[in-house]
Amino acid sequence: MGLICFGLLMIGADCTCLRCDDYRSLTRRFRSVKDRLPQRRWAPLPTGGMTPVAMVAGQDGAADA
């Protein structure tokens, strides 16, 4: 029914009605939230042998062939 396109069009139309002060306020708010989020540290992938998918493949309860 085109609801996604309509919604994006409405968001774009709303953004044209914002003032410069509104954009600055949104930028400050975004940065504040971003600074409060914890920085995620990802564990490195295994260098050799099995991938993470292969490591848990035998844990699903199915008989291994």
Side-chain angles (χ1 to χ4, degrees):
M1 288 178 40
L3 291 177
I4 294 174
C5 292
F6 175 76
L8 291 174
L9 182 68
M10 290 286 94
I11 291 171
D14 285 342
C15 288
T16 60
C17 298
L18 296 176
R19 300 173 305 203
C20 289
D21 294 336
D22 298 328
Y23 282 112
R24 287 187 195 107
S25 173
L26 287 172
T27 302
R28 280 193 306 269
R29 185 172 295 183
F30 174 75
R31 286 183 182 157
S32 171
V33 169
K34 183 178 148 190
D35 291 341
R36 283 185 281 157
L37 290 176
Q39 296 297 322
R40 223 173 169 162
R41 303 281 182 214
W42 296 99
L45 291 174
T47 56
M50 299 188 332
T51 64
V53 174
M55 291 189 302
V56 296
Q59 298 177 3
D60 61 355
D64 293 318

